[in-house]
Amino acid sequence: MRGSGVLERVRGIDRVLVDESVRDSALARRVGQRLAGLGLDPSWEVVPDGSLEPAPGQGQLLRLKRFRGRFLRFCPGTRNYRCCGYRIIHIGENCPLSCSYCILKAYFQDQALRVWANQEDLFAELDRAFGAQKARRFRVGTGEFTDSLALEALTGYSQDLVGFLGAHPNVCLELKTKVADLSFMDAVPRPDRVLPAWSLNSPDIWASEEPGSASLEERLDAARTCARAGFRVCLHFDPIILYPGWEQGYARTVDMIFDYLRPEDVAYLSLGSFRFMPRLKAAMLCNSPDATYVYGEFAPGLDGKMRLLRPLRARQLKFVADRLRSRGLDRQIYLCMESDEVWRAVLGRTPPSPGGLAGLLMDLAFGGSGA
Ligand code: SF4
């Protein structure tokens, strides 16, 4: 299997709880086999559907669950700012990595890794939604409530999904990750409908705030492998964090991109300044007390999230954007959850109308010019 760091990500799993109704599902069987294949032997318990998870203990809990809600959702986005119109395919919750700024710590009360094992329900819902509107394009992703690939070595979820979506050419799937597991590639019938995506940060932030993740070189090397195989990739500088020496750090990463990729290999690239719901700060103080960047000059934005003051934000985003543009990446750059004022200050433009940012990204995802 292609990929790196699998054992590091999953060896902490010491307990697996499986809902009774999915105990014989293909996914539960596969997870059991792959844990054994990795030489891991966590306790394995079948529990009644809907039963509560135990209070967090020392180790990591994996719950294979029957999910009864909607699998296909709109991204929560944000009020009052330019939103990208992304749809989420909900495959599970939480992540085995532990980035200090991770928004999931504010979304979820616990850190149990939950994976929806009733995949036949997920595929039936997607089939209805995508099949009923064949003339409509969908840009979807799985990386909103979990990392798309961090548990792939155990679950094979993305492999299953890309195989299934091969029958729906009106759908473009983004797989957003900080690991370098490329096993999904083997199942992709159409590389032009799958967008492998990597989050990037400065080398300093990677070293201090993203424990367990693949190195920037590993991510970009994986991106290059995908590009050579006919995929276009997405990159996300998010969150860009202000710290002493940030310019040199982000400049280094921007320069590194072009050691691995050509501008035309990139479908789109987002820039987002660190922002957070106030309750994330409490979680960070507890889990990541050394993450001092959270004490910067933040003020509540129109959506209630704390944002760096606008001049500071515009400066950091413009610095990264200008460096990317000087190397030939331009029309694919967009700002994540920013106002028109910041768009103009950073890029000298706003998303085109009609269609706005959502339309622009749809075009870019499906290989249009986005111009
Ligand atoms: S990889 Fe993404 S989902 Fe996982 S901890 Fe880091 S920010 Fe959170």
Side-chain angles (χ1 to χ4, degrees):
M1 179 180 294
R2 286 173 288 199
S4 72
V6 173
L7 258 180
E8 286 68 28
R9 288 197 293 283
V10 300
R11 72 155 46 101
I13 296 173
D14 67 346
R15 191 173 181 191
V16 182
L17 298 185
V18 189
D19 280 7
E20 171 86 49
S21 69
V22 293
R23 66 186 299 170
D24 295 319
S25 63
L27 189 124
R29 284 201 305 273
R30 187 187 294 159
V31 169
Q33 285 161 4
R34 290 188 177 183
L35 281 168
L38 289 166
L40 300 174
D41 186 25
S43 71
W44 185 279
E45 299 162 54
V46 175
V47 296
D49 285 26
S51 58
L52 295 178
E53 273 139 25
Q58 296 287 40
Q60 175 74 70
L61 172 69
L62 172 64
R63 177 83 182 260
L64 306 181
K65 208 169 162 67
R66 171 175 291 279
F67 181 66
R68 297 177 188 275
R70 288 187 67 88
F71 292 98
L72 182 63
R73 306 159 163 220
F74 284 98
C75 175
T78 197
R79 296 190 306 272
N80 306 107
Y81 296 102
R82 288 285 190 173
C83 182
C84 69
Y86 182 67
R87 302 284 293 269
I88 297 162
I89 297 178
H90 194 29
I91 61 169
E93 293 171 349
N94 272 323
C95 174
L97 310 186
S98 35
C99 306
S100 64
Y101 49 75
C102 182
I103 191 77
L104 300 183
K105 297 190 185 88
Y107 284 170
F108 304 117
Q109 304 273 334
D110 64 9
Q111 309 212 355
L113 302 170
R114 285 179 281 276
V115 178
W116 314 142
N118 50 326
Q119 287 177 297
E120 66 289 352
D121 294 333
L122 178 144
F123 292 136
E125 183 184 324
L126 298 184
D127 208 32
R128 285 194 298 276
F130 302 147
Q133 304 176 76
K134 290 186 191 303
R136 180 174 166 196
R137 297 178 303 175
F138 293 86
R139 189 173 68 90
V140 300
T142 51
E144 187 69 18
F145 297 118
T146 183
D147 179 286
S148 294
L149 299 174
L151 287 175
E152 184 68 10
L154 284 188
T155 66
Y157 224 117
S158 296
Q159 272 209 37
D160 293 340
L161 192 55
V162 297
F164 165 81
L165 289 178
H168 294 281
N170 55 331
V171 181
C172 190
L173 172 71
E174 181 176 341
L175 297 171
K176 189 172 171 188
T177 188
K178 285 198 185 81
V179 305
D181 186 332
L182 297 182
S183 50
F184 72 89
M185 288 172 71
D186 300 334
V188 173
R190 281 191 64 163
D192 60 341
R193 290 294 181 266
V194 176
L195 296 170
W198 279 272
S199 305
L200 296 176
N201 221 302
S202 76
D204 313 292
I205 295 298
W206 168 74
S208 61
E209 311 300 334
E210 299 181 349
S213 66
S215 69
L216 299 172
E217 290 83 357
E218 286 174 313
R219 296 180 211 180
L220 287 167
D221 188 53
R224 177 170 60 191
T225 300
C226 290
R228 286 179 176 166
F231 294 83
R232 286 167 310 121
V233 304
C234 303
L235 301 174
H236 299 286
F237 270 99
D238 201 349
I240 298 175
I241 290 173
L242 218 53
Y243 65 93
W246 66 271
E247 286 109 325
Q248 294 92 315
Y250 287 101
R252 173 77 195 99
T253 303
V254 169
D255 294 347
M256 209 189 295
I257 290 174
F258 300 96
D259 293 340
Y260 291 86
L261 296 169
R262 304 165 305 168
E264 59 268 33
D265 296 328
V266 179
Y268 48 78
L269 180 152
S270 70
L271 303 178
S273 178
F274 174 57
R275 57 209 175 275
F276 57 98
M277 290 186 275
R279 64 180 182 272
L280 179 65
K281 190 168 181 178
M284 288 180 67
L285 294 179
C286 181
N287 299 320
S288 310
D290 295 333
T292 52
Y293 60 86
V294 75
Y295 299 110
E297 296 185 67
F298 295 95
L302 296 170
D303 57 357
K305 286 185 184 164
M306 303 301 288
R307 292 163 174 266
L308 209 55
L309 297 179
R310 192 161 86 188
L312 294 175
R313 240 164 55 226
R315 194 174 140 226
Q316 65 176 174
L317 296 172
K318 186 163 172 27
F319 176 84
V320 180
D322 285 351
R323 194 144 184 134
L324 289 162
R325 292 167 107 178
S326 75
R327 303 294 301 268
L329 245 169
D330 184 8
R331 64 185 178 82
Q332 303 103 314
I333 301 175
Y334 72 97
L335 306 185
C336 191
M337 299 183 192
E338 283 294 355
S339 62
D340 282 356
E341 290 76 18
V342 176
W343 269 79
R344 280 190 210 97
V346 174
L347 295 172
R349 62 178 186 246
T350 55
S353 48
L357 180 56
L360 172 72
L361 293 178
M362 190 72 82
D363 285 345
L364 290 170
F366 280 83
S369 70

